[in-house]
PDB file of all heavy atoms in Angstrom:
ATOM      1  N   ILE A  89     111.747 307.928 196.530  1.00 98.00           N
ATOM      2  CA  ILE A  89     111.334 307.069 197.627  1.00 98.00           C
ATOM      3  C   ILE A  89     112.345 305.928 197.676  1.00 98.00           C
ATOM      4  O   ILE A  89     112.425 305.131 196.737  1.00 98.00           O
ATOM      5  CB  ILE A  89     109.906 306.540 197.413  1.00 98.00           C
ATOM      6  CG1 ILE A  89     108.902 307.700 197.338  1.00 98.00           C
ATOM      7  CG2 ILE A  89     109.527 305.557 198.511  1.00 98.00           C
ATOM      8  CD1 ILE A  89     107.487 307.258 196.930  1.00 98.00           C
ATOM      9  N   CYS A  90     113.122 305.852 198.760  1.00 97.00           N
ATOM     10  CA  CYS A  90     114.267 304.925 198.812  1.00 97.00           C
ATOM     11  C   CYS A  90     113.845 303.535 199.278  1.00 97.00           C
ATOM     12  O   CYS A  90     114.467 302.941 200.175  1.00 97.00           O
ATOM     13  CB  CYS A  90     115.347 305.492 199.719  1.00 97.00           C
ATOM     14  SG  CYS A  90     115.989 307.078 199.169  1.00 97.00           S
ATOM     15  N   THR A  91     112.804 303.000 198.676  1.00 95.00           N
ATOM     16  CA  THR A  91     112.293 301.669 198.955  1.00 95.00           C
ATOM     17  C   THR A  91     111.338 301.310 197.835  1.00 95.00           C
ATOM     18  O   THR A  91     110.599 302.167 197.353  1.00 95.00           O
ATOM     19  CB  THR A  91     111.558 301.618 200.305  1.00 95.00           C
ATOM     20  OG1 THR A  91     110.686 300.493 200.329  1.00 95.00           O
ATOM     21  CG2 THR A  91     110.728 302.849 200.547  1.00 95.00           C
ATOM     22  N   ASN A  92     111.365 300.056 197.410  1.00 94.00           N
ATOM     23  CA  ASN A  92     110.434 299.610 196.368  1.00 94.00           C
ATOM     24  C   ASN A  92     109.008 299.515 196.897  1.00 94.00           C
ATOM     25  O   ASN A  92     108.057 299.965 196.251  1.00 94.00           O
ATOM     26  CB  ASN A  92     110.866 298.251 195.820  1.00 94.00           C
ATOM     27  CG  ASN A  92     112.107 298.328 194.969  1.00 94.00           C
ATOM     28  OD1 ASN A  92     112.066 298.487 193.758  1.00 94.00           O
ATOM     29  ND2 ASN A  92     113.266 298.205 195.606  1.00 94.00           N
ATOM     30  N   THR A  93     108.851 298.942 198.090  1.00 95.00           N
ATOM     31  CA  THR A  93     107.512 298.673 198.611  1.00 95.00           C
ATOM     32  C   THR A  93     106.667 299.925 198.711  1.00 95.00           C
ATOM     33  O   THR A  93     105.469 299.919 198.353  1.00 95.00           O
ATOM     34  CB  THR A  93     107.608 298.002 199.999  1.00 95.00           C
ATOM     35  OG1 THR A  93     108.272 296.744 199.865  1.00 95.00           O
ATOM     36  CG2 THR A  93     106.236 297.791 200.602  1.00 95.00           C
ATOM     37  N   MET A  94     107.256 301.021 199.162  1.00 96.00           N
ATOM     38  CA  MET A  94     106.464 302.225 199.378  1.00 96.00           C
ATOM     39  C   MET A  94     106.174 302.993 198.090  1.00 96.00           C
ATOM     40  O   MET A  94     105.538 304.061 198.118  1.00 96.00           O
ATOM     41  CB  MET A  94     107.129 303.104 200.430  1.00 96.00           C
ATOM     42  CG  MET A  94     107.263 302.409 201.781  1.00 96.00           C
ATOM     43  SD  MET A  94     105.697 301.784 202.458  1.00 96.00           S
ATOM     44  CE  MET A  94     105.106 303.251 203.277  1.00 96.00           C
ATOM     45  N   HIS A  95     106.579 302.438 196.956  1.00 97.00           N
ATOM     46  CA  HIS A  95     106.080 302.959 195.683  1.00 97.00           C
ATOM     47  C   HIS A  95     104.620 302.559 195.466  1.00 97.00           C
ATOM     48  O   HIS A  95     104.008 302.960 194.473  1.00 97.00           O
ATOM     49  CB  HIS A  95     106.959 302.498 194.516  1.00 97.00           C
ATOM     50  CG  HIS A  95     108.208 303.336 194.378  1.00 97.00           C
ATOM     51  ND1 HIS A  95     109.264 303.237 195.243  1.00 97.00           N
ATOM     52  CD2 HIS A  95     108.543 304.306 193.486  1.00 97.00           C
ATOM     53  CE1 HIS A  95     110.209 304.099 194.890  1.00 97.00           C
ATOM     54  NE2 HIS A  95     109.787 304.763 193.827  1.00 97.00           N
ATOM     55  N   ARG A  96     104.077 301.790 196.390  1.00 95.00           N
ATOM     56  CA  ARG A  96     102.645 301.484 196.359  1.00 95.00           C
ATOM     57  C   ARG A  96     101.819 302.769 196.315  1.00 95.00           C
ATOM     58  O   ARG A  96     100.732 302.801 195.743  1.00 95.00           O
ATOM     59  CB  ARG A  96     102.270 300.655 197.596  1.00 95.00           C
ATOM     60  CG  ARG A  96     100.854 300.116 197.613  1.00 95.00           C
ATOM     61  CD  ARG A  96     100.612 299.354 198.906  1.00 95.00           C
ATOM     62  NE  ARG A  96      99.429 298.528 198.868  1.00 95.00           N
ATOM     63  CZ  ARG A  96      98.190 298.965 199.098  1.00 95.00           C
ATOM     64  NH1 ARG A  96      97.981 300.235 199.386  1.00 95.00           N
ATOM     65  NH2 ARG A  96      97.161 298.130 199.054  1.00 95.00           N
ATOM     66  N   MET A  97     102.338 303.830 196.961  1.00 97.00           N
ATOM     67  CA  MET A  97     101.610 305.102 196.979  1.00 97.00           C
ATOM     68  C   MET A  97     102.328 306.195 196.191  1.00 97.00           C
ATOM     69  O   MET A  97     102.135 307.376 196.415  1.00 97.00           O
ATOM     70  CB  MET A  97     101.371 305.559 198.414  1.00 97.00           C
ATOM     71  CG  MET A  97     102.608 305.787 199.237  1.00 97.00           C
ATOM     72  SD  MET A  97     103.330 304.262 199.909  1.00 97.00           S
ATOM     73  CE  MET A  97     102.065 303.699 201.039  1.00 97.00           C
ATOM     74  N   ALA A  98     103.138 305.784 195.208  1.00 97.00           N
ATOM     75  CA  ALA A  98     103.905 306.765 194.434  1.00 97.00           C
ATOM     76  C   ALA A  98     103.012 307.773 193.724  1.00 97.00           C
ATOM     77  O   ALA A  98     103.318 308.967 193.679  1.00 97.00           O
ATOM     78  CB  ALA A  98     104.802 306.054 193.425  1.00 97.00           C
ATOM     79  N   ASP A  99     101.907 307.319 193.158  1.00 97.00           N
ATOM     80  CA  ASP A  99     101.028 308.239 192.424  1.00 97.00           C
ATOM     81  C   ASP A  99     100.430 309.283 193.359  1.00 97.00           C
ATOM     82  O   ASP A  99     100.334 310.472 192.997  1.00 97.00           O
ATOM     83  CB  ASP A  99      99.916 307.471 191.716  1.00 97.00           C
ATOM     84  CG  ASP A  99     100.428 306.640 190.548  1.00 97.00           C
ATOM     85  OD1 ASP A  99     101.561 306.883 190.086  1.00 97.00           O
ATOM     86  OD2 ASP A  99      99.686 305.745 190.101  1.00 97.00           O
ATOM     87  N   GLN A 100     100.044 308.864 194.563  1.00 98.00           N
ATOM     88  CA  GLN A 100      99.474 309.825 195.515  1.00 98.00           C
ATOM     89  C   GLN A 100     100.525 310.817 195.995  1.00 98.00           C
ATOM     90  O   GLN A 100     100.232 312.006 196.172  1.00 98.00           O
ATOM     91  CB  GLN A 100      98.870 309.089 196.719  1.00 98.00           C
ATOM     92  CG  GLN A 100      97.687 308.194 196.379  1.00 98.00           C
ATOM     93  CD  GLN A 100      98.079 306.739 196.210  1.00 98.00           C
ATOM     94  OE1 GLN A 100      99.043 306.431 195.499  1.00 98.00           O
ATOM     95  NE2 GLN A 100      97.353 305.842 196.874  1.00 98.00           N
ATOM     96  N   VAL A 101     101.741 310.346 196.192  1.00 98.00           N
ATOM     97  CA  VAL A 101     102.818 311.235 196.605  1.00 98.00           C
ATOM     98  C   VAL A 101     103.106 312.250 195.502  1.00 98.00           C
ATOM     99  O   VAL A 101     103.233 313.452 195.757  1.00 98.00           O
ATOM    100  CB  VAL A 101     104.085 310.436 196.971  1.00 98.00           C
ATOM    101  CG1 VAL A 101     105.265 311.371 197.233  1.00 98.00           C
ATOM    102  CG2 VAL A 101     103.828 309.554 198.187  1.00 98.00           C
ATOM    103  N   GLN A 102     103.192 311.773 194.263  1.00 98.00           N
ATOM    104  CA  GLN A 102     103.447 312.689 193.154  1.00 98.00           C
ATOM    105  C   GLN A 102     102.366 313.744 193.034  1.00 98.00           C
ATOM    106  O   GLN A 102     102.640 314.929 192.779  1.00 98.00           O
ATOM    107  CB  GLN A 102     103.572 311.906 191.843  1.00 98.00           C
ATOM    108  CG  GLN A 102     103.806 312.775 190.611  1.00 98.00           C
ATOM    109  CD  GLN A 102     105.132 313.528 190.643  1.00 98.00           C
ATOM    110  OE1 GLN A 102     106.133 313.034 190.194  1.00 98.00           O
ATOM    111  NE2 GLN A 102     105.150 314.747 191.198  1.00 98.00           N
ATOM    112  N   ALA A 103     101.110 313.345 193.242  1.00 98.00           N
ATOM    113  CA  ALA A 103      99.998 314.293 193.122  1.00 98.00           C
ATOM    114  C   ALA A 103     100.024 315.372 194.204  1.00 98.00           C
ATOM    115  O   ALA A 103      99.436 316.444 194.027  1.00 98.00           O
ATOM    116  CB  ALA A 103      98.673 313.544 193.166  1.00 98.00           C
ATOM    117  N   ALA A 104     100.727 315.102 195.314  1.00 98.00           N
ATOM    118  CA  ALA A 104     100.726 316.026 196.445  1.00 98.00           C
ATOM    119  C   ALA A 104     101.873 317.028 196.413  1.00 98.00           C
ATOM    120  O   ALA A 104     101.936 317.922 197.263  1.00 98.00           O
ATOM    121  CB  ALA A 104     100.774 315.229 197.750  1.00 98.00           C
ATOM    122  N   ILE A 105     102.792 316.894 195.451  1.00 98.00           N
ATOM    123  CA  ILE A 105     103.938 317.802 195.359  1.00 98.00           C
ATOM    124  C   ILE A 105     104.077 318.313 193.935  1.00 98.00           C
ATOM    125  O   ILE A 105     103.540 317.729 192.991  1.00 98.00           O
ATOM    126  CB  ILE A 105     105.241 317.104 195.799  1.00 98.00           C
ATOM    127  CG1 ILE A 105     105.518 315.844 194.961  1.00 98.00           C
ATOM    128  CG2 ILE A 105     105.200 316.771 197.286  1.00 98.00           C
ATOM    129  CD1 ILE A 105     106.854 315.164 195.266  1.00 98.00           C
ATOM    130  N   SER A 106     104.810 319.394 193.792  1.00 98.00           N
ATOM    131  CA  SER A 106     105.028 319.959 192.453  1.00 98.00           C
ATOM    132  C   SER A 106     106.349 319.514 191.850  1.00 98.00           C
ATOM    133  O   SER A 106     106.640 319.819 190.691  1.00 98.00           O
ATOM    134  CB  SER A 106     104.983 321.488 192.518  1.00 98.00           C
ATOM    135  OG  SER A 106     105.987 321.977 193.385  1.00 98.00           O
ATOM    136  N   LEU A 107     107.162 318.786 192.616  1.00 96.00           N
ATOM    137  CA  LEU A 107     108.440 318.271 192.132  1.00 96.00           C
ATOM    138  C   LEU A 107     108.245 316.954 191.404  1.00 96.00           C
ATOM    139  O   LEU A 107     107.305 316.220 191.691  1.00 96.00           O
ATOM    140  CB  LEU A 107     109.391 318.014 193.308  1.00 96.00           C
ATOM    141  CG  LEU A 107     109.562 319.094 194.346  1.00 96.00           C
ATOM    142  CD1 LEU A 107     110.471 318.594 195.452  1.00 96.00           C
ATOM    143  CD2 LEU A 107     110.125 320.340 193.704  1.00 96.00           C
ATOM    144  N   PRO A 108     109.147 316.606 190.482  1.00 97.00           N
ATOM    145  CA  PRO A 108     109.081 315.262 189.892  1.00 97.00           C
ATOM    146  C   PRO A 108     109.483 314.195 190.891  1.00 97.00           C
ATOM    147  O   PRO A 108     110.436 314.370 191.660  1.00 97.00           O
ATOM    148  CB  PRO A 108     110.072 315.348 188.721  1.00 97.00           C
ATOM    149  CG  PRO A 108     111.014 316.450 189.076  1.00 97.00           C
ATOM    150  CD  PRO A 108     110.215 317.434 189.876  1.00 97.00           C
ATOM    151  N   LEU A 109     108.750 313.087 190.894  1.00 98.00           N
ATOM    152  CA  LEU A 109     109.086 311.908 191.680  1.00 98.00           C
ATOM    153  C   LEU A 109     109.695 310.895 190.721  1.00 98.00           C
ATOM    154  O   LEU A 109     109.045 310.486 189.750  1.00 98.00           O
ATOM    155  CB  LEU A 109     107.836 311.336 192.338  1.00 98.00           C
ATOM    156  CG  LEU A 109     108.011 310.012 193.089  1.00 98.00           C
ATOM    157  CD1 LEU A 109     108.780 310.232 194.388  1.00 98.00           C
ATOM    158  CD2 LEU A 109     106.654 309.377 193.393  1.00 98.00           C
ATOM    159  N   LEU A 110     110.924 310.494 190.978  1.00 98.00           N
ATOM    160  CA  LEU A 110     111.602 309.517 190.122  1.00 98.00           C
ATOM    161  C   LEU A 110     111.229 308.115 190.582  1.00 98.00           C
ATOM    162  O   LEU A 110     111.709 307.650 191.622  1.00 98.00           O
ATOM    163  CB  LEU A 110     113.118 309.726 190.171  1.00 98.00           C
ATOM    164  CG  LEU A 110     113.967 308.747 189.362  1.00 98.00           C
ATOM    165  CD1 LEU A 110     113.604 308.779 187.888  1.00 98.00           C
ATOM    166  CD2 LEU A 110     115.457 309.043 189.553  1.00 98.00           C
ATOM    167  N   HIS A 111     110.357 307.453 189.842  1.00 97.00           N
ATOM    168  CA  HIS A 111     109.849 306.133 190.220  1.00 97.00           C
ATOM    169  C   HIS A 111     110.940 305.090 190.031  1.00 97.00           C
ATOM    170  O   HIS A 111     111.549 304.998 188.972  1.00 97.00           O
ATOM    171  CB  HIS A 111     108.623 305.788 189.372  1.00 97.00           C
ATOM    172  CG  HIS A 111     107.799 304.660 189.907  1.00 97.00           C
ATOM    173  ND1 HIS A 111     108.265 303.363 189.975  1.00 97.00           N
ATOM    174  CD2 HIS A 111     106.526 304.638 190.398  1.00 97.00           C
ATOM    175  CE1 HIS A 111     107.314 302.586 190.486  1.00 97.00           C
ATOM    176  NE2 HIS A 111     106.257 303.340 190.760  1.00 97.00           N
ATOM    177  N   ILE A 112     111.153 304.257 191.041  1.00 97.00           N
ATOM    178  CA  ILE A 112     112.257 303.300 191.025  1.00 97.00           C
ATOM    179  C   ILE A 112     112.140 302.264 189.908  1.00 97.00           C
ATOM    180  O   ILE A 112     113.145 301.772 189.392  1.00 97.00           O
ATOM    181  CB  ILE A 112     112.368 302.610 192.404  1.00 97.00           C
ATOM    182  CG1 ILE A 112     113.713 301.903 192.568  1.00 97.00           C
ATOM    183  CG2 ILE A 112     111.188 301.678 192.664  1.00 97.00           C
ATOM    184  CD1 ILE A 112     113.997 301.455 194.003  1.00 97.00           C
ATOM    185  N   ALA A 113     110.914 301.933 189.511  1.00 96.00           N
ATOM    186  CA  ALA A 113     110.734 300.899 188.487  1.00 96.00           C
ATOM    187  C   ALA A 113     111.122 301.384 187.094  1.00 96.00           C
ATOM    188  O   ALA A 113     111.500 300.574 186.239  1.00 96.00           O
ATOM    189  CB  ALA A 113     109.287 300.405 188.474  1.00 96.00           C
ATOM    190  N   ASP A 114     111.032 302.685 186.846  1.00 97.00           N
ATOM    191  CA  ASP A 114     111.224 303.182 185.481  1.00 97.00           C
ATOM    192  C   ASP A 114     112.669 303.082 184.999  1.00 97.00           C
ATOM    193  O   ASP A 114     112.918 302.508 183.920  1.00 97.00           O
ATOM    194  CB  ASP A 114     110.687 304.612 185.362  1.00 97.00           C
ATOM    195  CG  ASP A 114     109.175 304.677 185.505  1.00 97.00           C
ATOM    196  OD1 ASP A 114     108.506 303.643 185.294  1.00 97.00           O
ATOM    197  OD2 ASP A 114     108.657 305.758 185.834  1.00 97.00           O
ATOM    198  N   PRO A 115     113.667 303.610 185.721  1.00 97.00           N
ATOM    199  CA  PRO A 115     115.039 303.433 185.230  1.00 97.00           C
ATOM    200  C   PRO A 115     115.480 301.974 185.216  1.00 97.00           C
ATOM    201  O   PRO A 115     116.282 301.571 184.372  1.00 97.00           O
ATOM    202  CB  PRO A 115     115.884 304.271 186.200  1.00 97.00           C
ATOM    203  CG  PRO A 115     115.052 304.426 187.416  1.00 97.00           C
ATOM    204  CD  PRO A 115     113.634 304.431 186.947  1.00 97.00           C
ATOM    205  N   THR A 116     114.919 301.174 186.131  1.00 97.00           N
ATOM    206  CA  THR A 116     115.231 299.742 186.131  1.00 97.00           C
ATOM    207  C   THR A 116     114.722 299.093 184.850  1.00 97.00           C
ATOM    208  O   THR A 116     115.448 298.347 184.173  1.00 97.00           O
ATOM    209  CB  THR A 116     114.600 299.070 187.364  1.00 97.00           C
ATOM    210  OG1 THR A 116     115.115 299.680 188.555  1.00 97.00           O
ATOM    211  CG2 THR A 116     114.906 297.579 187.376  1.00 97.00           C
TER     212      THR A 116
END
């Protein structure tokens, strides 16, 4: 997700797909 703000729904997005979602906060 190429924006910090829309990581508000990162968990819901991850739950809806079988691919890994790379959360922007983690590598930072």
Side-chain angles (χ1 to χ4, degrees):
I89 299 172
C90 299
T91 159
N92 288 269
T93 297
M94 299 304 274
H95 279 74
R96 187 182 195 277
M97 60 280 295
D99 290 344
Q100 296 98 311
V101 173
Q102 179 64 89
I105 58 175
S106 60
L107 312 176
L109 174 72
L110 178 59
H111 196 294
I112 196 168
D114 293 339
T116 301

